[in-house]
């Protein structure tokens, strides 16, 4: 049994927990929204605004994940399905994206609700996935919730080049067999492209995927706001 956690970094309460800092983050996001909505480049805009508000690299990473322009928000919202629309549908899941988000939320890390309504975290994979104490709880929460919503089947996609992705596939397959989850689990060299071009309902908070997916479901929001308690959430608005 692993004792590893995916919680806060030592500086996170100082960087995100203070109400004055949270207001500063919200103000910076207003500026970013204004500029992105007028066609400014995302990376340079976040850096420009982040420097103006004297945000450090970790805070800038957070506002980058929370930022969006008008057209991005409209597209993502217009192509989002409600929970009631998932019955008998096939979902295709951005595996590391949703799993690490839930592991982070369950472990007490800060999660960030963006201007588009999607939640992101600051953990990431960085070439290697490491199972944590909350991994199984997160997987079971997803499976039980999607069963309750009467989803027909679920296709999980993980980045094949990421170390330990094969072990994670085994864990999910075993949990699916034990709990009667109708799952297929794939390792792919370019899962982002698979998700972005899929005809199925996509589950991801990755901006590049969301801006291309024809149908998406905001599973992170559904779980964090409807199934979890005492989550450290930072809001864009």
């Amino acid at each position: 049994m692993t004792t590893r956690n995916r919680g806060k970094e030592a500086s996170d309460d100082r960087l995100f927990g203070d109400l004055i800092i949270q207001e500063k983050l919200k103000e910076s996001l207003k500026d970013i929204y204004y500029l992105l909505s007028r066609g400014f480049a995302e990376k340079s805009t976040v850096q420009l605004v982040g420097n103006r508000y004297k945000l450090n690299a970790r805070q800038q990473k957070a506002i980058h994940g929370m930022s969006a322009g008008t057209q991005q928000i409209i597209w993502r919202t217009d192509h989002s399905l409600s929970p009631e629309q998932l019955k008998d549908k096939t979902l295709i899941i951005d595996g590391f994206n949703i799993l690490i988000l839930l592991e982070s939320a369950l472990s007490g890390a800060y999660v960030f609700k963006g201007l588009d309504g999607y939640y992101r975290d600051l953990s990431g994979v960085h070439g290697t996935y490491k199972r944590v104490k909350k991994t199984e709880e997160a997987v079971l929460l997803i499976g039980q919730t999607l069963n309750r919503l009467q989803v027909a089947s679920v296709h999980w996609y993980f980045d094949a080049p990421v170390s330990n992705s094969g072990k994670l596939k085994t864990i999910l397959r075993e949990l699916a067999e034990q709990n009667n989850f109708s799952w297929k689990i794939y390792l792919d060299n370019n899962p982002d492209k698979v998700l972005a071009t899929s005809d199925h309902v996509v589950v991801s908070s990755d901006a590049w995927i969301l801006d291309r997916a024809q149908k998406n479901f905001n599973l992170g929001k559904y779980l964090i706001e409807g199934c979890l308690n005492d989550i450290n959430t930072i809001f864009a608005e």
Side-chain angles (χ1 to χ4, degrees):
M1 182 67 181
T2 182
T3 59
R4 192 180 293 113
N5 200 355
R6 207 179 295 281
K8 305 173 188 173
E9 288 196 358
S11 61
D12 280 354
D13 283 333
R14 175 175 56 83
L15 295 178
F16 303 111
D18 185 84
L19 291 178
I20 294 176
I21 291 179
Q22 291 176 18
E23 287 304 313
K24 182 190 287 189
L25 296 177
K26 290 178 182 178
E27 288 301 312
S28 71
L29 285 163
K30 290 179 183 177
D31 290 357
I32 292 172
Y33 170 78
Y34 178 88
L35 293 171
L36 293 183
S37 298
R38 283 153 182 79
F40 284 76
E42 186 173 16
K43 185 177 180 179
S44 57
T45 295
V46 171
Q47 186 176 28
L48 174 68
V49 174
N51 291 341
R52 178 177 184 270
Y53 284 88
K54 296 181 171 59
L55 304 178
N56 74 1
R58 191 161 174 83
Q59 291 169 320
Q60 289 194 29
K61 182 179 180 181
I63 62 170
H64 194 176
M66 300 166 79
S67 63
T70 301
Q71 293 305 313
Q72 291 173 306
I73 294 172
I74 291 172
W75 172 275
R76 297 170 193 177
T77 301
D78 286 350
H79 292 80
S80 179
L81 273 62
S82 68
E84 295 74 21
Q85 292 175 301
L86 298 183
K87 184 177 179 181
D88 299 327
K89 296 286 197 306
T90 294
L91 266 62
I92 180 169
I93 294 183
D94 187 355
F96 286 125
N97 179 276
I98 187 65
L99 184 56
I100 291 174
L101 172 64
L102 290 179
E103 290 173 345
S104 299
L106 289 166
S107 299
Y110 285 97
V111 292
F112 303 84
K113 186 176 184 180
L115 292 168
D116 60 359
Y118 293 79
Y119 283 81
R120 280 104 183 172
D121 61 87
L122 294 179
S123 293
V125 175
H126 309 300
T128 301
Y129 173 81
K130 296 180 179 178
R131 182 181 180 182
V132 297
K133 289 189 289 185
K134 295 294 185 179
T135 298
E136 183 171 328
E137 182 178 349
V139 172
L140 290 176
L141 177 62
I142 293 170
Q144 292 161 359
T145 300
L146 296 182
N147 270 8
R148 190 171 65 250
L149 293 173
Q150 301 181 60
V151 169
S153 64
V154 175
H155 297 180
W156 288 80
Y157 275 83
F158 293 96
D159 302 74
V162 172
S163 179
N164 295 325
S165 57
K167 293 180 180 178
L168 182 58
K169 178 180 178 179
T170 299
I171 292 170
L172 264 67
R173 186 179 65 244
E174 291 174 350
L175 289 172
E177 291 172 354
Q178 293 166 11
N179 293 274
N180 196 31
F181 298 151
S182 182
W183 288 358
K184 295 181 180 179
I185 305 148
Y186 303 94
L187 305 183
D188 193 274
N189 287 325
N190 190 5
D192 287 6
K193 183 178 180 180
V194 175
L195 272 77
T197 58
S198 175
D199 293 329
H200 298 308
V201 181
V202 171
V203 171
S204 179
S205 62
D206 182 281
W208 188 87
I209 295 172
L210 289 174
D211 287 340
R212 290 159 177 80
Q214 294 299 314
K215 293 175 289 187
N216 79 78
F217 175 58
N218 194 345
L219 180 60
K221 177 182 177 181
Y222 184 81
L223 294 174
I224 289 171
E225 297 184 358
C227 303
L228 304 183
N229 298 312
D230 301 321
I231 303 302
N232 290 315
T233 304
I234 303 298
F235 298 97
E237 298 177 301

